[in-house]
Amino acid sequence: AMAREVLNVLDERGIQRAVIGGLSMGGYVTLALYRMAPERFTGMILADTRATADSDVQKDGRRAMIDLVRQRGPGAVADDMLPKLLGETSRRERPELAGQVRGMIESNSRDAIAGALEAMMSRPDSRPLLPQIAVPTLVICGDEDVLTPPADAEALHAGIRGSRLVRLEGAGHLSNIESPQAFANAINAFLGELPSSR
């Protein structure tokens, strides 16, 4: 459904083809969109995400999180997730980020968080899709990401022919927030090498 909404936005704005990407769940949406409409891509960016479906253990964890948000609200989700979302370096050197990320989590409703968890829990395995990706692809990961560790990024990189892998030192799962300049530099370098017709 999220991928279809992205297509709707592209159509409404008259954008036929674009570099499309996402971080974390946004990576799942990007892969879903490529399954639906690969012709709309001129490039792809996958940040702090993975190709595999949830394991049984991961599904159990999401069910527990759904129960938590239903019973205690977004604040309880923030309490549980903050140590996992931010890397050790960020928690130590940039403690103000915790408040910023908490605000982002708590700005969502219980239903929105539960719905996102249910969607992630039921997503398909995208590994068979990877060899079919035929556009320039950038894979980014924080080297302190514990939710989608560097091994997941390396698997994406290995599975997508010709892709580029960038690891951001001292960043966790939210590498775009934790290392914004390095994240932007990686994207700008990638975009700068694409054909001018993008």
Side-chain angles (χ1 to χ4, degrees):
M2 289 182 176
R4 283 192 294 272
E5 284 300 312
V6 174
L7 281 178
N8 289 341
V9 170
L10 292 174
D11 290 341
E12 288 167 4
R13 298 187 179 185
I15 300 170
Q16 294 304 310
R17 302 184 73 216
V19 177
I20 301 171
L23 182 143
S24 188
M25 185 177 181
Y28 306 150
V29 175
T30 300
L31 292 168
L33 182 55
Y34 194 84
R35 270 192 296 275
M36 294 169 58
E39 72 280 359
R40 305 301 290 268
F41 284 73
T42 58
M44 181 183 296
I45 300 169
L46 299 169
D48 295 285
T49 192
R50 61 164 54 105
T52 54
D54 273 2
S55 67
D56 289 341
V57 171
Q58 290 164 332
K59 287 179 181 179
D60 287 344
R62 295 202 198 275
R63 291 186 188 101
M65 190 66 65
I66 290 169
D67 289 343
L68 180 67
V69 72
R70 293 286 189 209
Q71 295 170 15
R72 296 176 49 205
V77 173
D79 291 340
D80 182 86
M81 290 300 296
L82 274 170
K84 305 170 192 172
L85 289 168
L86 296 172
E88 181 182 344
T89 300
S90 294
R91 295 197 308 272
R92 182 179 66 248
E93 298 180 3
R94 300 183 65 198
E96 74 280 0
L97 288 180
Q100 179 183 344
V101 175
R102 175 178 291 279
M104 293 168 62
I105 294 170
E106 292 181 346
S107 70
N108 291 277
S109 68
R110 294 178 190 223
D111 286 344
I113 293 173
L117 289 163
E118 288 166 358
M120 288 188 285
M121 187 169 58
S122 62
R123 74 185 187 280
D125 188 337
S126 290
R127 285 175 294 180
L129 177 69
L130 301 185
Q132 302 172 35
I133 296 174
V135 295
T137 300
L138 172 65
V139 179
I140 303 175
C141 72
D143 69 353
E144 296 179 4
D145 188 344
V146 297
L147 291 177
T148 51
D152 289 327
E154 290 163 6
L156 285 168
H157 174 53
I160 302 172
R161 186 171 49 255
S163 63
R164 173 188 300 181
L165 173 62
V166 175
R167 291 177 60 155
L168 301 184
E169 185 178 348
H173 189 63
L174 301 180
S175 59
N176 60 326
I177 294 173
E178 297 177 69
S179 297
Q181 191 59 60
F183 191 93
N185 289 346
I187 290 178
N188 287 336
F190 173 68
L191 296 178
E193 294 178 4
L194 295 182
S196 58
S197 60
R198 70 178 182 277

